[in-house]
Amino acid sequence: MTSSRTWPAWLVCLLAAMIEGFDIQSMGVAAPRMLPALHLSPGQAGWAFSASLIGLMVGASFGGVVADRVGRRPVLTVSVAAFGVFSLVTALASGFAPLLVVRFLTGLGLGGAMPMLIALASERASPARKATMVALIAGGMPLGGAVAGLVARTPAALDDWRTIFLVGGLVPLVVAPLLYLVLPVGRPDRADHRPGAAAGALFGTGRWPATACIWVSYALVALTLHLLLNWLPTLMVARGLPTGFAFLVSTLFNLGGASGGLAFGAVVDRLGARGPLLAGFAGLAVALVLMAGAGGQAPIAILAFTAGFLLMGGQFTLYGLTPPYYPAVVRATGVGAAVAAGRVGSIFGPLAAAELIGGGASGAAVVGALVPVVVVAGAVAVGLTFFAKPTD
């Protein structure tokens, strides 16, 4: 899948990752207008943000297992198509309860996609470019988020927040058949699928310490990322900054993430993961401290880009590290479980911000509260690099 003849498969995988990123960011950029339109309180907004992430967690938990049994191409195609349908339905939501249900179903539809994309990228890239190619595919997520920020600034979206979800629903319906056409057919593995076999793959033969580090680091990084993705525009507006600038900050955060993922991937392929992870998370903690205290638009914009660069660079490095820790026949299961652990953190991020804001915390305080989370995430991620990777 690294030859010039297979570039269409890489391209549609990148598009699939962009779709997930667009959806995750869509709620954040729609929020300044959607929340008043639907009369949602901060607490209800937190649950609305987290509903799709809960769906993503459930989908990631089962999507990898199903893909290991029936093949990745059909599961990925159905996931993307279902997501498109439910994203369109989001535009019809008229209150808190319908919004909650449809956002859960939207996340459920796409939940199994990212584990399969990571596994495909890791397996089909050459050993010398493995981290770079995983970062390239995963980088579609912040690119999709950046596109959502740009769509939110168009006259149509500024006039009606539903435009964002209409765009986010139509594109997956176009991409889904392309996925089916260009992805390799593959064959489902004939490995041991008896009850307990997946648990053995995750925790057996001394693998449980690595799995524990993977799950904790994924969860804490996702908590930080999704809090910022969902609440950053609202936090900027709450600080008295213009709505247009708030959308720009989200776009810069995502563009920083995409470029950071590629930069980290290239460095990790050359130098290994330990040093980049240590430097990246330390720098991220500093960037968040500075962002919490920044006042002008230019410093905030620069720090938002920097935070995205370092945060998603670290996350994509973890994506690249994870697949080799699991045997090939259950690799999608292992990656799916890791992504599901990340979804747990992603659910709590928006809810934690909602609680802090509902309790009277300022935007600066919310950003500052992420610093200890980032420090622990970095320590656990670096700890993962000390565990040996098994052989298939």
Coordinates of all heavy atoms in Angstrom, one line a residue, residues 7 11-13 48 54-55 62 66 77 97 108 113 159 200 205 212 214 217 235 238 246 275 316 342 352 363 368 376:
W7 N -2.0 4.7 -4.0 CA -2.2 6.0 -3.4 C -3.7 6.3 -3.2 O -4.1 7.0 -2.3 CB -1.5 7.2 -4.2 CG -2.1 7.4 -5.5 CD1 -1.6 7.0 -6.7 CD2 -3.2 8.3 -5.9 NE1 -2.4 7.4 -7.8 CE2 -3.4 8.2 -7.3 CE3 -4.1 9.0 -5.1 CZ2 -4.3 8.9 -7.9 CZ3 -5.1 9.7 -5.8 CH2 -5.2 9.7 -7.1
L11 N -5.5 7.9 0.1 CA -6.2 9.1 0.1 C -7.6 8.9 0.7 O -8.0 9.8 1.5 CB -6.4 9.6 -1.4 CG -7.3 10.8 -1.6 CD1 -6.7 12.0 -0.9 CD2 -7.4 11.1 -3.1
V12 N -8.3 7.9 0.4 CA -9.6 7.7 1.0 C -9.5 7.4 2.5 O -10.4 7.8 3.3 CB -10.4 6.6 0.3 CG1 -10.8 7.0 -1.1 CG2 -9.7 5.2 0.3
C13 N -8.5 6.8 3.0 CA -8.3 6.6 4.4 C -8.1 8.0 5.1 O -8.6 8.2 6.2 CB -7.1 5.7 4.7 SG -7.4 3.9 4.4
A48 N -24.3 17.1 25.4 CA -24.5 17.0 23.9 C -23.1 16.8 23.2 O -23.0 16.1 22.2 CB -25.1 18.3 23.4
I54 N -19.4 9.2 23.3 CA -19.9 7.9 23.9 C -20.1 6.9 22.8 O -19.7 5.8 22.9 CB -21.1 8.1 24.8 CG1 -20.8 9.0 26.0 CG2 -21.7 6.8 25.3 CD1 -22.0 9.4 26.8
G55 N -20.8 7.4 21.7 CA -21.0 6.5 20.6 C -19.7 6.0 20.0 O -19.6 4.9 19.6
F62 N -16.3 -2.3 19.7 CA -16.7 -3.5 19.0 C -16.3 -3.5 17.5 O -16.2 -4.6 16.9 CB -18.3 -3.6 19.0 CG -18.8 -3.8 20.4 CD1 -19.3 -2.7 21.2 CD2 -18.8 -5.0 21.0 CE1 -19.8 -2.9 22.5 CE2 -19.2 -5.3 22.3 CZ -19.8 -4.2 23.0
V66 N -15.2 -6.9 15.3 CA -16.0 -7.3 14.2 C -15.1 -7.3 12.9 O -15.1 -8.2 12.1 CB -17.2 -6.3 14.0 CG1 -17.9 -6.7 12.7 CG2 -18.1 -6.4 15.2
T77 N -16.6 0.8 5.5 CA -17.6 1.4 4.6 C -18.9 1.7 5.3 O -19.5 2.8 5.2 CB -17.8 0.5 3.4 OG1 -16.5 0.2 2.8 CG2 -18.7 1.1 2.4
A97 N -33.1 16.5 24.0 CA -33.3 15.0 24.0 C -33.0 14.5 22.6 O -32.2 13.5 22.4 CB -34.6 14.6 24.5
L108 N -21.6 6.5 17.1 CA -21.7 5.0 17.0 C -21.4 4.6 15.5 O -20.7 3.6 15.3 CB -23.1 4.5 17.4 CG -23.2 3.0 17.4 CD1 -22.3 2.4 18.5 CD2 -24.7 2.6 17.7
A113 N -14.2 3.3 12.9 CA -13.3 3.7 11.7 C -11.9 3.9 12.1 O -10.9 3.3 11.5 CB -13.9 4.9 11.1
D159 N -25.2 32.2 9.2 CA -26.7 32.5 9.2 C -27.4 31.3 9.9 O -28.5 31.5 10.5 CB -27.1 32.7 7.8 CG -28.6 33.0 7.7 OD1 -29.0 34.0 8.3 OD2 -29.4 32.3 7.1
G200 N -6.9 -12.3 26.3 CA -5.6 -12.9 26.4 C -4.6 -12.1 25.5 O -3.5 -11.9 25.9
T205 N 0.7 -13.0 28.4 CA 2.1 -13.1 28.2 C 2.9 -11.8 28.6 O 3.7 -11.3 27.8 CB 2.4 -13.4 26.7 OG1 1.9 -12.3 25.9 CG2 1.8 -14.7 26.2
A212 N -1.9 -1.2 30.0 CA -2.3 -0.3 31.0 C -1.8 1.1 30.6 O -2.5 2.1 30.7 CB -1.9 -0.7 32.4
I214 N -0.9 2.2 27.7 CA -1.6 2.7 26.5 C -3.0 3.2 26.8 O -3.3 4.3 26.3 CB -1.7 1.5 25.4 CG1 -0.3 1.1 24.9 CG2 -2.7 1.8 24.3 CD1 -0.3 -0.2 24.1
S217 N -2.7 6.6 28.9 CA -2.2 7.8 28.1 C -3.2 8.2 27.1 O -3.4 9.4 26.9 CB -0.8 7.4 27.5 OG -1.0 6.3 26.6
L235 N -15.0 29.3 25.0 CA -14.1 29.9 26.0 C -13.6 31.2 25.4 O -13.4 32.2 26.2 CB -13.0 28.9 26.3 CG -13.4 27.7 27.1 CD1 -12.2 26.8 27.3 CD2 -14.0 28.0 28.4
A238 N -16.3 33.7 25.6 CA -16.6 34.1 27.0 C -15.5 35.1 27.5 O -15.8 35.9 28.4 CB -16.6 32.9 27.8
A246 N -12.7 33.4 17.4 CA -12.9 32.2 18.1 C -12.8 31.0 17.1 O -12.2 30.0 17.4 CB -14.2 32.1 18.9
G275 N 12.3 10.5 23.3 CA 12.6 11.9 23.4 C 11.5 12.8 22.9 O 11.2 13.8 23.6
F316 N -0.6 11.3 18.0 CA -0.3 10.5 16.8 C 0.9 9.6 17.0 O 1.0 8.5 16.4 CB -0.1 11.4 15.6 CG -1.4 12.2 15.2 CD1 -1.3 13.2 14.3 CD2 -2.6 11.9 15.8 CE1 -2.4 13.9 14.0 CE2 -3.7 12.6 15.5 CZ -3.7 13.6 14.6
G342 N -9.4 5.8 24.9 CA -9.3 7.2 24.7 C -10.6 7.9 24.6 O -10.8 9.0 25.1
A352 N -16.3 17.8 32.1 CA -15.5 18.4 33.1 C -15.5 19.9 32.9 O -15.7 20.7 33.8 CB -14.1 17.9 33.1
G363 N -12.5 31.0 31.6 CA -11.9 30.3 30.5 C -10.4 30.0 30.8 O -9.9 28.9 30.5
G368 N -6.1 26.2 32.4 CA -5.0 25.9 33.4 C -5.2 24.5 34.1 O -4.3 23.9 34.5
V376 N 0.8 14.2 33.7 CA 0.6 12.7 34.0 C 0.5 11.9 32.7 O 1.2 10.9 32.5 CB -0.7 12.5 34.8 CG1 -0.9 11.0 35.0 CG2 -0.6 13.2 36.2

